Amino acid sequence: MNKGGGMKKMKYVVVTGGVVSGLGKGVTASSIGVLLKACGFRVTSIKIDPYLNTDAGTMSPFEHGEVFVLDDGGEVDLDLGNYERFLDIKLTRDNNITTGKIYQAVIDKERRGDYLGKTVQVVPHITDAIQEWIERVAMIPVDGQPGPADVCVIELGGTIGDIESMPFTEALGQFSYRVGAGNFCLVHVSLVPVLSAVGEQKTKPTQHSVRGLRSLGLTPNILACRSTLALEENVKQKLSQFCHVPAENIITLYDVPNIWHLPLLLRDQKAHEAILGVLNLLGIAREPNLKEWTSRAELCDMLLEPVRIAIVGKYTGLSDSYLSLLKALLHASVSLRKKLVVDWIPASDLEDETAKENPDVYKAAWKLLKGSDGVLVPGGFGDRGVEGKILAAKYARENRIPFLGICLGMQIAVIEFARSILGLQDANSTEFDPDTKDPCVIFMPEGSKTHLGGTMRLGSRRTYFQVMDCKSAKLYGNRGFIDERHRHRYEVNPDMVSRLEDAGLSFTGKDETGQRMEIVELPNHPYYIGAQFHPEFKSRPGKPSALFLGLIAAACDQLDSLLHAPKIPNGMAKKISLCQNGNATKFAKIPTDGIYSNCNGVHA
């Protein structure tokens, strides 16, 4: 819309949440972005996280889900991954605002003397810094086109009333007046529970939530009510009366078969008209074109033939720890018209120690591994479960089961090969055994052992293919190089590479120096690939990650036809409507949004 000069001032849509956390603000914000994009507008996104951490980099996945990595090396909240996948954009680290970043910026200014001796306070200095940050970042192009977007969708993390989010709610209240009427739309996501005893939709929690929101200086324009069923008309009228929101601006986010129905659900309830009306954009918007979305949602509902992938990891107790992995697997499996079934296997359950202490758990874990069509060993930190991952890699290699190792998973594959084929029983990573005699994986010289935050090799880095006659190069379309996102402190020891290659391992991808190993393959195996980078972070619906597509194809005995098809993987993606991505666990009735999961019965 900016091209024609019809829009000059940025429009803002703010998404807040009330009553309880985990209602799905992130996927709601993403779906609103999809809907506005379908109406012809360019959209960018900002996520506000009220925690004191500077970024998500040092947090355990059990605390906050996976750490999503951006092209610029930003370690951010997983919701930014949702935004990137939904809207097919590339965000920056500044698109994730945290309390830590804001306070650090204000204190740095105070130390420089920028406040000219004034007493630095939450109001106005912190709140001004928040507003200035939003205005600055909203203008950064994220869709590959020149100039700023038309609409910025902002998600405020947490729940209204949280102590840590108070400065942000105050700042957003001021911001609504700063940008002026017609440029600010507030969507409040709330809960309308149904009590099983009476079967009645209860509005009181939402009433209290809106009252709290208004007391903080924010007035909702639209209510997005999370409920198991569509809101009854009398319930809408009651909410409208008590919350001072027009009935036509009250949307129900009810349970759907899969998460990709959400933008369609919003469209069918005319949420776009409500938002565009508040932003004075109805006159220049087109009817939303969501044909591709509709076909994706319907295709996901129809998938029947399963493909079983065992994920052998450390954080299997929380699926959000591997959210991008799940979505990359889903993109690939749907592109090949298979129903993804994930078998979660805690790596430590495969170890001999578990066989002694809890034999039932041990047997269940191995039964899942042996019943899988493919094995995925993801990244991670720390030594817990490492030996179990090595055993999984050994099983996949010896039994010719398709295998993909990512980051630590690649390093695991190298260690296992050194032990089993080279006979180096002491082979290990210095991360787990600093005194190992055969260090296959070593600490990178530029890393820091004293400061953990932001000191890894992060962000988009280039990988050059050393040979073109290999599976990974063919999957990437026979390009000479690729750019993928990284997050690691350790690397394959370059001094060990020649011995490993002489024994049959092939390092098919390296960095620009030729000293850092990026991709490893076992040429005489149906599919045995390790990648130092994280290909899952750039997987998109319609453009599944090449290595994940290869894993699923190999697991379905379709790899040969895939490798000989033209324009891999994008050519294939154009023929088949793929499922869109999102935070599945927050809306869909079935687990992780069309991804059917199993575990050994001990770990949830």
Side-chain angles (χ1 to χ4, degrees):
M1 291 289 175
N2 270 326
K3 291 179 180 177
M7 285 182 57
K8 296 179 181 178
K9 198 163 186 178
M10 179 67 68
K11 306 286 187 176
Y12 297 92
V13 177
V14 175
V15 179
T16 60
V19 185
V20 294
S21 60
L23 288 177
K25 295 187 302 299
V27 75
T28 301
S30 301
S31 298
I32 288 171
V34 168
L35 198 53
L36 294 175
K37 188 176 179 180
C39 290
F41 298 102
R42 293 173 59 199
V43 181
T44 185
S45 295
I46 292 174
K47 172 68 187 295
I48 297 174
D49 283 303
Y51 48 67
L52 281 169
N53 304 62
T54 300
D55 59 32
T58 58
M59 287 194 286
S60 164
F62 285 128
E63 285 280 326
H64 216 67
E66 76 170 1
V67 177
F68 191 81
V69 179
L70 303 171
D71 269 2
D72 65 0
E75 297 173 285
V76 297
D77 183 80
L78 58 80
D79 276 321
L80 275 80
N82 287 332
Y83 305 156
E84 285 204 344
R85 289 184 287 264
F86 264 70
L87 299 170
D88 195 16
I89 56 179
K90 289 184 179 180
L91 299 171
T92 71
R93 68 178 73 229
D94 285 349
N95 288 83
N96 192 189
I97 304 175
T98 68
T99 298
K101 286 180 181 178
I102 294 295
Y103 274 75
Q104 191 170 54
V106 170
I107 290 171
D108 287 345
K109 289 179 72 174
E110 185 273 331
R111 291 290 84 188
R112 288 196 304 267
D114 292 359
Y115 294 116
L116 299 175
K118 291 185 179 296
T119 302
V120 180
Q121 298 174 289
V122 173
V123 180
H125 301 103
I126 295 294
T127 52
D128 283 352
I130 294 167
Q131 295 174 73
E132 290 161 7
W133 192 300
I134 290 172
E135 287 188 323
R136 172 176 61 83
V137 174
M139 303 302 288
I140 299 173
V142 295
D143 57 2
Q145 299 181 44
D150 302 312
V151 182
C152 178
V153 179
I154 304 168
E155 178 194 348
L156 175 60
T159 305
I160 289 298
D162 292 344
I163 291 174
E164 57 263 32
S165 65
M166 289 295 185
F168 292 101
T169 51
E170 174 62 27
L172 289 170
Q174 296 177 17
F175 192 65
S176 65
Y177 291 98
R178 179 170 178 154
V179 299
N183 298 311
F184 186 94
C185 176
L186 179 59
V187 180
H188 188 58
V189 182
S190 187
L191 177 68
V192 177
V194 178
L195 299 184
S196 56
V198 293
E200 180 186 357
Q201 293 176 325
K202 308 301 287 186
T203 65
K204 195 64 72 176
T206 295
Q207 291 181 43
H208 283 296
S209 180
V210 171
R211 187 175 302 140
L213 189 66
R214 294 168 72 90
S215 71
L216 294 168
L218 289 169
T219 301
N221 302 105
I222 296 166
L223 284 181
C225 298
R226 181 72 179 90
S227 191
T228 52
L229 300 171
L231 290 187
E232 298 166 6
E233 195 57 37
N234 66 311
V235 174
K236 274 192 177 185
Q237 293 298 330
K238 190 174 182 181
L239 283 171
S240 175
Q241 182 179 5
F242 282 92
C243 299
H244 307 168
V245 175
E248 60 270 21
N249 286 12
I250 299 176
I251 311 298
T252 315
L253 304 175
Y254 55 81
D255 288 346
V256 289
N258 69 65
I259 205 64
W260 307 292
H261 285 282
L262 254 295
L264 310 179
L265 189 64
L266 293 174
R267 178 204 59 191
D268 293 344
Q269 297 178 73
K270 300 191 182 301
H272 58 292
E273 292 184 6
I275 294 169
L276 296 173
V278 174
L279 298 177
N280 295 331
L281 294 177
L282 276 174
I284 58 173
R286 69 186 185 205
E287 279 297 307
N289 179 7
L290 290 170
K291 290 181 180 178
E292 191 176 351
W293 270 91
T294 303
S295 62
R296 286 171 186 160
E298 291 174 351
L299 178 58
C300 284
D301 292 341
M302 294 187 298
L303 296 175
L304 295 173
E305 189 175 344
V307 56
R308 307 187 73 90
I309 301 297
I311 297 182
V312 182
K314 179 179 178 181
Y315 313 110
T316 54
L318 180 67
S319 62
D320 271 4
S321 301
Y322 300 115
L323 186 63
S324 292
L325 279 175
L326 286 171
K327 299 312 174 184
L329 286 170
L330 190 60
H331 295 159
S333 61
V334 175
S335 75
L336 296 171
R337 307 213 172 204
K338 304 294 181 185
K339 182 173 75 175
L340 178 64
V341 179
V342 172
D343 291 328
W344 295 101
I345 304 177
S348 56
D349 288 359
L350 298 171
E351 297 173 0
D352 293 340
E353 193 68 28
T354 303
K356 298 173 186 175
E357 296 177 358
N358 199 333
D360 290 341
V361 169
Y362 177 81
K363 290 176 184 176
W366 274 101
K367 183 179 179 180
L368 280 179
L369 183 66
K370 292 178 179 179
S372 65
D373 301 313
V375 178
L376 173 62
V377 177
F381 300 91
D383 59 1
R384 179 167 62 84
V386 164
E387 293 302 321
K389 294 175 185 178
I390 290 173
L391 288 168
K394 180 181 176 72
Y395 172 80
R397 180 182 58 79
E398 292 181 342
N399 293 277
R400 301 178 66 78
I401 305 298
F403 172 89
L404 177 60
I406 294 173
C407 197
L408 174 60
M410 169 193 167
Q411 298 169 8
I412 289 292
V414 172
I415 293 169
E416 189 281 321
F417 188 87
R419 290 183 183 180
S420 300
I421 304 302
L422 293 181
L424 304 175
Q425 295 305 314
D426 192 51
N428 214 327
S429 167
T430 57
E431 179 181 4
F432 314 127
D433 182 4
D435 301 320
T436 177
K437 297 174 184 176
D438 299 298
C440 291
V441 178
I442 60 173
F443 191 80
M444 292 189 297
E446 67 267 39
S448 170
K449 293 188 177 180
T450 57
H451 289 71
L452 299 182
T455 58
M456 287 186 275
R457 183 170 180 249
L458 293 163
S460 183
R461 310 286 179 133
R462 186 154 290 182
T463 295
Y464 293 87
F465 287 105
Q466 307 301 299
V467 291
M468 300 309 295
D469 187 20
C470 64
K471 296 182 182 70
S472 56
K474 291 176 182 176
L475 286 166
Y476 275 103
N478 296 308
R479 285 178 283 171
F481 62 84
I482 54 172
D483 296 309
E484 292 281 10
R485 298 175 183 180
H486 293 67
R487 185 176 185 249
H488 64 113
R489 283 193 180 85
Y490 291 81
E491 62 175 334
V492 174
N493 186 352
D495 294 337
M496 294 281 290
V497 168
S498 59
R499 292 177 66 186
L500 291 163
E501 289 194 316
D502 289 344
L505 205 58
S506 179
F507 291 95
T508 56
K510 300 180 181 180
D511 75 343
E512 66 279 0
T513 69
Q515 294 298 303
R516 187 156 282 158
M517 305 303 114
E518 294 282 4
I519 305 175
V520 63
E521 293 188 37
L522 203 55
N524 59 355
H525 191 282
Y527 192 84
Y528 194 89
I529 293 179
Q532 186 61 70
F533 49 80
H534 289 264
E536 69 271 23
F537 290 144
K538 292 179 72 172
S539 182
R540 301 283 185 271
K543 294 178 285 185
S545 167
L547 298 185
F548 283 87
L549 194 65
L551 175 66
I552 297 296
C556 300
D557 295 322
Q558 296 181 19
L559 184 60
D560 286 342
S561 59
L562 181 68
L563 292 178
H564 292 97
K567 295 183 181 178
I568 301 297
N570 289 344
M572 185 161 193
K574 290 174 184 175
K575 298 177 189 175
I576 301 172
S577 297
L578 300 188
C579 277
Q580 182 54 282
N581 203 348
N583 192 331
T585 59
K586 294 182 179 177
F587 277 90
K589 283 182 177 177
I590 53 180
T592 48
D593 197 15
I595 304 167
Y596 290 80
S597 302
N598 290 307
C599 62
N600 61 10
V602 178
H603 300 264

